[in-house]
Amino acid sequence: MDLNSASSVVLQVLTQATSQDTAVLKPAEEQLKQWETQPGFYSVLLNIFTNHTLDINVRWLAVLYFKHGIDRYWRRVAPHALSEEEKSTLRAGLITNFNEPINQIATQIAVLIAKVARLDCPRQWPELIPTLVESVKVQDDLRQHRALLTFYHVTKTLASKRLAADRKLFYDLASGIYNFACSLWNHHTDTFLQHVSSGNEAAVLSSLERTLLSLKVLRKLTVNGFVEPHKNMEVMGFLHGIFERLKQFLECSRSIGTDNVCRDRLEKTIILFTKVLLDFLDQHPISFTPLIQRSLEFSVSYVFTEVGEGVTFERFIVQCMNLIKMIVKNYAYKPSKNFEDSSPETLEAHKIKMAFFTYPTLTEICRRLVSHYFLLTEEELTMWEEDPEGFTVEETGGDSWKYSLRPCTEVLFIDIFHEYNQTLTPVLLEMMQTLEGPTNVEDMNALLIKDAVYNAVGLAAFELFDSVDFDQWFKTQLLPELQVSHNRYKPLRRRVIWLIGQWISVKFKSDLRPMLYEAICNLLQDQDLVVRIETATTLKLTVDDFEFRTDQFLPYLETMFTLLFQLLQQVTECDTKMHVLHVLSCVIERVNVQIRPYVGCLVQYLPLLWKQSEEHNMLRCAILTTLIHLVQGLGADSKNLYPFLLPVIQLSTDVSQPPHVYLLEDGLELWLVTLENSPCVTPELLRIFQNMSPLLELPSSCLANELSSENLRTCFKIINGYIFLSSTEFLQTYAAGLCQSFYELLPEITTEGQVQVLKVVENALKVNPVLGPQMFQRILPCVFRGVIEGERYPVVMSIYLAVMGRVLLQNTSFFSSLLNEMGHEFNQEMDQLLGNVIEMWVDRMDNITQPERKKLSALALLSLLPSDNSVIQDKFCGIINISVEALHDVMTEDPETRTYKDCMLMSQHEEPKVTEDEEPPTEQDKRKKMLALKDPVHTVSLQQFIYEKLKAQQEILGEQGFQSLMETVDTEIVTQLQEFLQGF
């Protein structure tokens, strides 16, 4: 592409590509796409976006196309890669001038220079860093800023490379420019501090921007540029100097307004200082050891003493707390139980920590955390009143929760209390003792202090296990507080029920649960919504606990379920509805069938909630989870839900519908439990199987992700569910398409996937021995080939032999036609092929581990007897060997009569015993039981079957001929066989 002639054409097309008219936009985009691989195109783009007289939108688009071109065509091995000559020209052009006037475009240019640097610096672009170093020294403000911006992005990109050779290059770069970077940062920092004194806001902002950028460069060099940074005096000097600089910047906040751009930039710079320390501690904990003392002194003084008053802000306090927490928890600073096994560096760090965290210091930190940072603020109390649901979402982990002060203080308290529990337990116990008895409802400060202490006791529950008699405290202190109904007491009612939830799995006597359930019933009727929501949370923790007893809970079930349902109706926020639904689901899951009398209201409400939640897929996921537990609780009665249930399953598992991305996993689970609990098939239930075919398409379907294997397993369970539910109707409707899907799927999926497919085929043959083989006749030759060719995976060979055994035992005519078909394929006579099959079967019998399948193989091969076929008689020894092996697995000896019994046999009158902890059998369990009562594996005595087959063979051959045949069997095997057949 000629630069002179092409520039105007490219400029025109770029202008068209910025149009809002799609008729103009689309052709322009197509043309630009065609030019992407044209030599000279990126040189034209460079000329366009560096021409400041052109339209900003056109220049912006040009720089974006250039950036995308680097990603696609800059590497030498890329298809249509740029020539080395053009790349050399472009590199030179990119760093000729740092004078871009538009901030957004300047940032994009800095990013694309960094992208090229990642690939070419320093080998193909040795001049980049020296050019940047010189450019940041110029006096022109714009050029200096743009060069500094580029310097930062280049440093950031080079620091992110992870290959050893690249790391070495960055270490060399850091060593070479670190002194300069420090000087540059100190210069801009001093300039900023001077401008703050003069009060020139524009100059303050300009110098602060340069301070921030130069500090960003230093952060990357310091954290990523040295293997052992503690051995570099410049690095440690910079890090030690951070604390003094932080003090200076925090003091500056007094003279800079609270609501302007300067304040925002100042706070970002202060936070960046803390990030340098946190990153360095994370990456180089041993090198950080000389900084431990200073870091702790600085953080504790600003967070826990009056030093920080008037200058600190929330995000800074969070960062300081994170610094303390990381030092306290750092494994590099924790010596082994045997001190002699610890490194000198670890012991030194531990010594510094212990010297700092004295009893007075720990006590003060603990008291300040509880009495200052744990207190509910005016802002939180106002939110409680004006937006109670928003308050509960914030408290339980809203979007901003991770970076807010309250969770950070609580995590710090937990970590410090865990590390120094022997010191802090008496402190907390003393705080508890001062708050015994009721609190005056008129004294709001006292109520908030008690709330804060109770919060601490809940957070430290595991540490306080041996120090607090919680059962007694519950009866004498907490329970009476729950009964105080005054409106101003609601923070304590909410905190006490939360506190009980924290202790329920730690230390709570089972006998006290009815008292707790009574209290929960009362609190679910509390006048305050926040209290009711917190109570629901504690209820969930209670029923989730391993000591939960259904018999204790049942007297309160109706009341609780009704109140929870009312709460679900009352709340309006999506997150809160999800939370209450999860509590309801948990209750339904734990009481199972006992829920049936009480779910009518919920069943009527869920369709409305589903409709209202059309735009809230996560709420719909919660509804699906609730429906799963409802169906399991209702059992066969869940059929009454089908008018709502089946359309929900249909939508959730339809991959052509956008919501499936969120709903598929739960939708499949709901589909499965619906089948398992269905008393009979309905046309609508049969019809939704149309969704299955796209789910089995790999790899393009939604299953081709991390959840694919689990979802695919559920799909196979669903298919099996239909086979057990209504094999004839299902197979006649869907078997052809299913067989085609399986046929295409088998070569593409893992060994486990192949087993799942073949289990479906096995179940179809088991349920419907006549129709099954016909419906899956395209799959059966694959099975036959696998057996003949000696499938190498034992687990696959085992299922192959199970499928083959089913056909041979239960549909002999189909087996003969299959044998005939495969004889043509292998160019062998049927008898010869049958002999090969039997030989492979005998040889690979060890692959079968399940006793049921061993018995099936024995029955199947014995079914070939009696026979005068020479091939079968040839394999007689192998058939007997398999039969005796199966006898060893399925026969149990009666010690009194010394006779053997087939343990696989099932009686019509056998009823499985269900213990209190076990779930009652589903409809599918009952169907499987009925199927087992018709299965030869469970209805035919192997012992008797062998006897009858041998007797029939003897009648065909005569005594002498039969004796000759038996002589082909090992004498030890014959002896074992005779022992098993005693009494016949």
Side-chain angles (χ1 to χ4, degrees):
M1 186 176 279
D2 180 66
L3 276 178
N4 295 325
S5 59
S7 290
S8 58
V9 179
V10 174
L11 181 60
Q12 182 183 357
V13 176
L14 280 169
T15 305
Q16 292 168 348
T18 62
S19 171
Q20 300 297 312
D21 184 352
T22 54
V24 177
L25 172 66
K26 291 295 181 186
E29 287 180 337
E30 285 299 318
Q31 181 59 69
L32 288 166
K33 188 172 182 63
Q34 291 175 20
W35 283 339
E36 280 181 359
T37 56
Q38 290 291 313
F41 176 60
Y42 295 96
S43 298
V44 173
L45 290 178
L46 176 64
N47 286 345
I48 290 172
F49 71 69
T50 54
N51 185 344
H52 305 158
T53 63
L54 298 176
D55 180 73
I56 292 173
N57 293 325
V58 172
R59 295 174 57 227
W60 171 261
L61 196 58
V63 80
L64 289 184
Y65 267 94
F66 193 103
K67 190 172 73 169
H68 294 153
I70 295 170
D71 292 333
R72 291 175 187 148
Y73 309 114
W74 198 275
R75 295 178 188 274
R76 278 177 289 183
V77 295
H80 310 291
L82 275 72
S83 68
E84 291 302 316
E85 293 78 15
E86 185 172 6
K87 287 198 289 187
S88 179
T89 304
L90 292 172
R91 284 193 293 260
L94 285 170
I95 55 174
T96 301
N97 291 301
F98 295 99
N99 59 351
E100 173 55 54
I102 307 300
N103 286 334
Q104 294 90 332
I105 295 177
T107 300
Q108 289 300 322
I109 292 173
V111 169
L112 68 84
I113 289 174
K115 281 178 175 289
V116 175
R118 183 179 185 88
L119 299 171
D120 289 359
C121 183
R123 292 186 179 89
Q124 285 81 35
W125 207 1
E127 65 274 18
L128 172 62
I129 301 299
T131 302
L132 289 172
V133 168
E134 289 305 313
S135 299
V136 297
K137 296 177 183 176
V138 299
Q139 296 303 307
D140 182 281
D141 281 354
L142 179 65
R143 291 176 187 271
Q144 186 187 68
H145 179 273
R146 299 317 191 215
L148 196 51
L149 178 67
T150 307
F151 193 21
Y152 160 61
H153 280 286
V154 168
T155 309
K156 177 184 175 183
T157 300
L158 295 180
S160 69
K161 298 179 79 173
R162 289 291 170 260
L163 292 177
D166 294 326
R167 303 296 313 135
K168 176 68 169 61
L169 287 172
F170 190 71
Y171 296 150
D172 293 342
L173 169 66
S175 298
I177 66 171
Y178 196 84
N179 189 31
F180 167 75
C182 279
S183 301
L184 185 68
W185 170 68
N186 277 315
H187 166 71
H188 289 306
T189 302
D190 290 337
T191 304
F192 160 71
L193 293 171
Q194 290 166 11
H195 287 318
V196 169
S197 304
S198 68
N200 184 336
E201 190 169 318
V204 167
L205 184 59
S206 175
S207 58
L208 184 55
E209 184 68 33
R210 284 157 179 73
T211 302
L212 185 60
L213 283 172
S214 56
L215 183 56
K216 285 181 176 182
V217 172
L218 261 182
R219 177 190 176 194
K220 293 300 176 185
L221 294 175
T222 303
V223 174
N224 303 106
F226 300 90
V227 180
E228 296 178 305
H230 59 283
K231 295 182 179 179
N232 187 300
M233 290 178 60
E234 291 171 344
V235 171
M236 298 312 290
F238 162 67
L239 290 168
H240 280 289
I242 282 180
F243 301 102
E244 195 55 45
R245 288 301 197 187
L246 263 172
K247 288 179 182 178
Q248 293 173 335
F249 274 66
L250 286 165
E251 284 303 314
C252 287
S253 64
R254 296 185 191 277
S255 54
I256 292 179
T258 58
D259 191 24
N260 58 30
V261 178
C262 275
R263 177 72 186 202
D264 178 64
R265 283 286 185 274
L266 177 65
E267 290 190 358
K268 280 187 176 178
T269 307
I270 291 169
I271 293 303
L272 189 59
F273 278 122
T274 63
K275 284 182 177 180
V276 173
L277 294 170
L278 286 166
D279 288 354
F280 191 77
L281 171 56
D282 180 57
Q283 294 295 315
H284 307 282
I286 297 302
S287 296
F288 193 87
T289 302
L291 300 164
I292 292 176
Q293 178 78 17
R294 191 77 187 276
S295 297
L296 291 172
E297 288 173 349
F298 177 87
S299 300
V300 169
S301 65
Y302 273 92
V303 173
F304 296 110
T305 73
E306 64 282 352
V307 171
E309 290 178 8
V311 295
T312 58
F313 51 96
E314 185 170 301
R315 187 73 195 279
F316 172 71
I317 294 172
V318 167
Q319 292 290 91
C320 287
M321 287 186 174
N322 285 337
L323 190 58
I324 298 169
K325 181 185 72 176
M326 283 182 69
I327 292 171
V328 167
K329 285 186 70 177
N330 205 299
Y331 285 109
Y333 304 155
K334 291 185 178 180
S336 306
K337 288 184 179 179
N338 184 358
F339 265 54
E340 293 159 1
D341 296 335
S342 305
S343 68
E345 294 84 1
T346 296
L347 293 175
E348 175 63 23
H350 179 68
K351 181 181 173 184
I352 296 170
K353 272 174 56 180
M354 295 304 291
F356 179 81
F357 285 114
T358 59
Y359 177 79
T361 301
L362 285 168
T363 303
E364 184 59 27
I365 289 174
C366 180
R367 290 188 182 282
R368 285 280 291 178
L369 279 170
V370 175
S371 62
H372 178 72
Y373 288 107
F374 280 13
L375 290 181
L376 287 169
T377 63
E378 282 295 327
E379 183 184 350
E380 287 170 324
L381 291 170
T382 301
M383 188 178 188
W384 183 325
E385 294 296 334
E386 296 176 357
D387 181 16
E389 289 186 57
F391 174 82
T392 58
V393 170
E394 281 292 312
E395 284 286 296
T396 53
D399 291 340
S400 60
W401 190 83
K402 181 180 176 183
Y403 302 105
S404 61
L405 184 56
R406 178 167 297 282
C408 184
T409 60
E410 291 179 352
V411 170
L412 178 62
F413 174 82
I414 292 168
D415 290 336
I416 287 184
F417 204 95
H418 175 74
E419 190 76 10
Y420 303 102
N421 62 81
Q422 290 184 331
T423 303
L424 293 177
T425 294
V427 177
L428 189 53
L429 292 176
E430 183 193 336
M431 295 171 81
M432 285 174 60
Q433 287 161 6
T434 61
L435 299 173
E436 285 182 357
T439 303
N440 185 353
V441 295
E442 301 302 324
D443 188 346
M444 195 62 189
N445 186 58
L447 290 172
L448 293 180
I449 287 287
K450 183 178 270 193
D451 173 85
V453 173
Y454 283 3
N455 187 15
V457 175
L459 294 172
F462 284 99
E463 308 298 335
L464 294 172
F465 179 87
D466 293 321
S467 304
V468 173
D469 183 351
F470 191 80
D471 296 333
Q472 183 65 23
W473 197 41
F474 169 76
K475 288 185 289 187
T476 59
Q477 176 77 19
L478 301 182
L479 206 52
E481 298 211 85
L482 289 178
Q483 293 161 357
V484 180
S485 59
H486 196 285
N487 184 53
R488 297 191 73 181
Y489 218 77
K490 64 188 180 185
L492 271 183
R493 289 198 300 277
R494 171 221 172 217
R495 180 59 69 192
V496 169
I497 198 64
W498 170 88
L499 171 63
I500 294 167
Q502 302 308 298
W503 275 83
I504 201 78
S505 61
V506 177
K507 191 178 187 180
F508 195 81
K509 194 181 290 183
S510 180
D511 295 347
L512 296 176
R513 297 222 172 199
M515 296 171 67
L516 173 59
Y517 295 147
E518 190 74 43
I520 287 174
C521 287
N522 292 332
L523 288 176
L524 284 173
Q525 302 171 70
D526 196 276
Q527 58 189 340
D528 185 76
L529 182 59
V530 173
V531 174
R532 295 204 297 280
I533 294 170
E534 194 64 68
T535 303
T537 305
T538 294
L539 174 59
K540 182 178 183 298
L541 294 170
T542 306
V543 299
D544 262 347
D545 186 54
F546 72 95
E547 288 191 4
F548 173 80
R549 280 171 41 195
T550 308
D551 62 311
Q552 289 181 319
F553 187 72
L554 286 179
Y556 307 93
L557 174 58
E558 181 177 6
T559 303
M560 284 194 192
F561 197 84
T562 302
L563 293 170
L564 282 171
F565 174 66
Q566 290 172 1
L567 181 60
L568 177 65
Q569 288 181 299
Q570 183 182 359
V571 296
T572 56
E573 293 293 325
C574 179
D575 285 336
T576 324
K577 281 191 179 292
M578 283 170 57
H579 178 61
V580 179
L581 267 175
H582 282 311
V583 179
L584 279 164
S585 296
C586 193
V587 171
I588 295 168
E589 183 180 18
R590 291 311 296 263
V591 301
N592 204 277
V593 297
Q594 307 279 1
I595 199 66
R596 291 178 185 179
Y598 315 117
V599 295
C601 55
L602 181 62
V603 166
Q604 291 175 2
Y605 176 66
L606 285 179
L608 174 64
L609 184 59
W610 180 266
K611 188 174 181 181
Q612 291 173 342
S613 61
E614 193 169 354
E615 302 300 319
H616 303 284
N617 286 309
M618 297 315 293
L619 177 53
R620 284 195 159 183
C621 286
I623 296 172
L624 288 172
T625 303
T626 305
L627 285 171
I628 288 167
H629 297 309
L630 257 181
V631 170
Q632 289 170 329
L634 290 172
D637 292 343
S638 61
K639 186 181 177 185
N640 298 326
L641 299 181
Y642 283 7
F644 167 55
L645 197 60
L646 299 187
V648 166
I649 296 170
Q650 166 74 39
L651 174 70
S652 305
T653 60
D654 184 351
V655 297
S656 67
Q657 298 291 331
H660 86 270
V661 175
Y662 304 94
L663 307 180
L664 179 62
E665 188 178 5
D666 292 317
L668 287 172
E669 189 65 31
L670 177 59
W671 192 356
L672 176 60
V673 299
T674 300
L675 285 168
E676 289 174 341
N677 290 278
S678 177
C680 60
V681 75
T682 67
E684 296 77 17
L685 185 56
L686 197 60
R687 194 176 302 123
I688 59 173
F689 192 80
Q690 294 170 358
N691 282 4
M692 184 58 68
S693 183
L695 290 169
L696 296 176
E697 291 175 7
L698 294 176
S700 58
S701 82
C702 57
L703 294 170
N705 56 37
E706 289 181 11
L707 292 171
S708 63
S709 57
E710 193 56 48
N711 284 346
L712 203 50
R713 272 192 287 272
T714 308
C715 286
F716 289 129
K717 288 178 184 176
I718 288 167
I719 298 167
N720 284 321
Y722 275 103
I723 290 171
F724 292 129
L725 179 62
S726 179
S727 63
T728 302
E729 204 172 348
F730 171 69
L731 290 174
Q732 286 175 341
T733 309
Y734 292 110
L738 198 56
C739 185
Q740 179 63 30
S741 293
F742 283 178
Y743 185 77
E744 294 170 359
L745 201 59
L746 277 171
E748 303 292 331
I749 53 178
T750 62
T751 300
E752 185 193 351
Q754 292 174 24
V755 170
Q756 295 295 332
V757 168
L758 293 165
K759 276 185 179 176
V760 172
V761 178
E762 181 188 16
N763 284 328
L765 300 177
K766 189 189 300 184
V767 175
N768 203 322
V770 177
L771 191 58
Q774 297 171 17
M775 293 302 175
F776 288 102
Q777 58 185 341
R778 195 170 181 191
I779 301 294
L780 294 175
C782 302
V783 174
F784 204 106
R785 280 185 216 104
V787 173
I788 286 292
E789 293 167 1
E791 164 62 44
R792 63 194 179 103
Y793 290 109
V795 67
V796 179
M797 189 61 165
S798 172
I799 190 79
Y800 277 166
L801 294 176
V803 170
M804 188 81 85
R806 285 283 166 197
V807 179
L808 175 56
L809 181 62
Q810 295 182 269
N811 197 330
T812 310
S813 61
F814 189 90
F815 183 80
S816 297
S817 64
L818 179 63
L819 196 62
N820 183 46
E821 178 189 338
M822 300 310 294
H824 290 300
E825 181 177 320
F826 284 96
N827 197 23
Q828 292 181 19
E829 292 293 328
M830 283 178 62
D831 284 351
Q832 182 189 357
L833 188 59
L834 177 60
N836 292 340
V837 168
I838 297 171
E839 189 173 333
M840 185 60 73
W841 207 321
V842 172
D843 184 56
R844 299 296 292 275
M845 189 66 179
D846 288 344
N847 291 166
I848 303 175
T849 55
Q850 302 97 321
E852 292 92 341
R853 285 191 180 156
K854 286 193 175 185
K855 180 176 177 180
L856 174 64
S857 284
L859 291 172
L861 290 175
L862 284 166
S863 71
L864 295 170
L865 302 177
S867 175
D868 56 3
N869 186 309
S870 60
V871 172
I872 294 176
Q873 291 185 17
D874 236 12
K875 307 300 178 187
F876 180 80
C877 172
I879 294 172
I880 297 302
N881 286 347
I882 281 180
S883 301
V884 173
E885 185 179 339
L887 283 168
H888 278 290
D889 281 318
V890 303
M891 302 302 287
T892 55
E893 185 180 9
D894 187 327
E896 292 181 6
T897 62
R898 306 290 292 173
T899 56
Y900 289 93
K901 180 185 174 185
D902 190 334
C903 67
M904 291 284 153
L905 295 179
M906 290 179 64
S907 162
Q908 184 80 34
H909 307 292
E910 268 185 45
E911 285 297 332
K913 294 178 181 177
V914 180
T915 65
E916 187 180 335
D917 296 332
E918 289 180 320
E919 294 179 3
T922 64
E923 295 300 305
Q924 182 161 298
D925 292 332
K926 296 172 187 176
R927 287 190 282 271
K928 286 182 176 180
K929 168 77 186 298
M930 296 304 295
L931 175 61
L933 291 172
K934 299 176 185 176
D935 186 350
V937 172
H938 298 292
T939 57
V940 175
S941 165
L942 180 58
Q943 189 183 27
Q944 186 170 348
F945 195 67
I946 294 173
Y947 173 76
E948 290 172 354
K949 288 295 181 179
L950 291 180
K951 190 175 180 183
Q953 187 69 37
Q954 186 179 27
E955 288 173 1
I956 288 178
L957 298 179
E959 183 66 36
Q960 189 175 353
F962 181 70
Q963 195 58 41
S964 299
L965 194 61
M966 287 300 294
E967 286 173 0
T968 64
V969 182
D970 184 83
T971 54
E972 179 61 31
I973 298 295
V974 173
T975 303
Q976 293 172 21
L977 179 61
Q978 288 170 343
E979 189 177 340
F980 280 120
L981 297 184
Q982 280 178 6
F984 281 91

